[in-house]
Amino acid sequence: MTLVKVRSRGINLADNFAFTGTITGAGGGKVLQVVQSKSSTGQSSTSSDLVEYTGGSVSITPSATSSKVLVIVTGSIMIGRNSVSQTHGQGRTKLYRGSTDIDIESSVGHNYGSVSNGNQWADHGFAFSNVGLDSPNTTSSTTYKIYFRGDGSLQGYIPFGGKVIFTAMEIGA
Amino acid sequence: MIKDNLIKFNNAVQNLKADVGVVVYSDDMNEEIFNTKTKWQTGSTENEEAILSDTNPHSELTWTKVKEEMDKL
């Protein structure tokens, strides 16, 4: 027997309700699952092209092809130079689904002249974050990772300290 | 935490041969890491991704030579 508590002024939100059926038509936007992973594995690169950070990633299996996935990656990156001719530095991180660039890029940088006091060597750390809302259109396991680079002949290091934290949330359609 | 040895390694490589792309899958550097956890860039894709090789294409960048340069830094 179904018990429905309805009062003349509406539903009393202080009452308890035990749903056994399915609610439909309530709209999307519900967080259906959250997955998180962390890595402190270090990696460096002197390439001015993007390289995959292999120290960590996050995988999520969407429950429906219509779901979206909110991905948040945070961490620290250090960029450095070994020549006074390098006047500025820039480190970049990009979010990938598998081997596919999903065009979520973060960039940090600075003018070496203002912080290195003329020293040949200069290494500085920055926080980075990549936040992307993806539509993977699959119910198969999907892996999100980051690629990074330091522009020019700079060196890039991830993480500078602490951990790289990967979080993926499935959002219902 | 990234160790000084790794920073010295990257600087030593650049001193010996500028603009070399090298990726180290570690936060430290020694001969074993040089031989087993280091990849060398041999090209780029049209998406500006590095093409990496396990084989060091730079004959002048041996562990001995790089270590000598590291010790000067």
Side-chain angles (χ1 to χ4, degrees), chain A residues 15-146:
Chain A
D15 284 343
N16 296 318
F17 299 88
F19 294 101
T20 56
T22 301
I23 298 175
T24 60
K30 296 178 286 294
V31 176
L32 303 179
Q33 59 173 315
V34 181
V35 183
Q36 187 172 73
S37 67
K38 305 172 185 177
S39 174
S40 58
T41 301
Q43 184 176 326
S44 78
S45 173
T46 64
S47 173
S48 59
D49 292 301
L50 292 159
V51 298
E52 178 186 349
Y53 172 67
T54 62
S57 62
V58 65
S59 296
I60 190 169
T61 304
S63 60
T65 56
S66 58
S67 292
K68 294 184 183 298
V69 177
L70 179 65
V71 185
I72 303 169
V73 184
T74 62
S76 60
I77 182 171
M78 185 175 78
I79 55 177
R81 74 170 186 185
N82 66 350
S83 167
V84 291
S85 65
Q86 294 163 345
T87 57
H88 65 279
Q90 190 172 46
R92 301 184 186 198
T93 57
K94 293 192 84 173
L95 188 59
Y96 275 61
R97 181 199 324 116
S99 58
T100 301
D101 177 2
I102 57 174
D103 199 25
I104 302 294
E105 183 172 17
S106 174
S107 177
V108 295
H110 62 93
N111 183 327
Y112 280 118
S114 64
V115 294
S116 64
N117 295 322
N119 290 328
Q120 176 184 8
W121 314 103
D123 302 298
H124 299 99
F126 302 87
F128 73 85
S129 63
N130 291 81
V131 181
L133 186 62
D134 189 35
S135 300
N137 192 31
T138 182
T139 55
S140 299
S141 178
T142 304
T143 299
Y144 293 91
K145 57 184 73 172
I146 56 167

Side-chain angles (χ1 to χ4, degrees), chain B residues 46-67:
Chain B
E46 60 182 15
N47 297 323
E48 298 183 328
E49 295 160 5
I51 298 171
L52 303 174
S53 171
D54 290 326
T55 304
N56 179 356
H58 309 287
S59 58
E60 62 272 53
L61 298 179
T62 62
W63 170 250
T64 301
K65 290 288 180 59
V66 174
K67 183 66 168 61

Side-chain angles (χ1 to χ4, degrees), chain A residues 42-52 54 78 81-82 96 121 123 147 149 153 155 157 159-161, chain B residues 1-2 6-7 10-11 14-15 19-27 41 43-44 47-50 52 73:
Chain A
Q43 184 176 326
S44 78
S45 173
T46 64
S47 173
S48 59
D49 292 301
L50 292 159
V51 298
E52 178 186 349
T54 62
M78 185 175 78
R81 74 170 186 185
N82 66 350
Y96 275 61
W121 314 103
D123 302 298
Y147 280 53
R149 70 179 180 186
S153 57
Q155 301 104 51
Y157 306 83
F160 173 51
Chain B
M1 188 73 177
I2 297 295
L6 183 54
I7 296 172
N10 283 322
N11 287 328
Q14 298 301 312
N15 284 354
D19 299 331
V20 167
V22 58
V23 179
V24 180
Y25 298 89
S26 173
D27 57 8
Q41 184 172 8
S44 306
N47 297 323
E48 298 183 328
E49 295 160 5
L52 303 174
L73 302 176

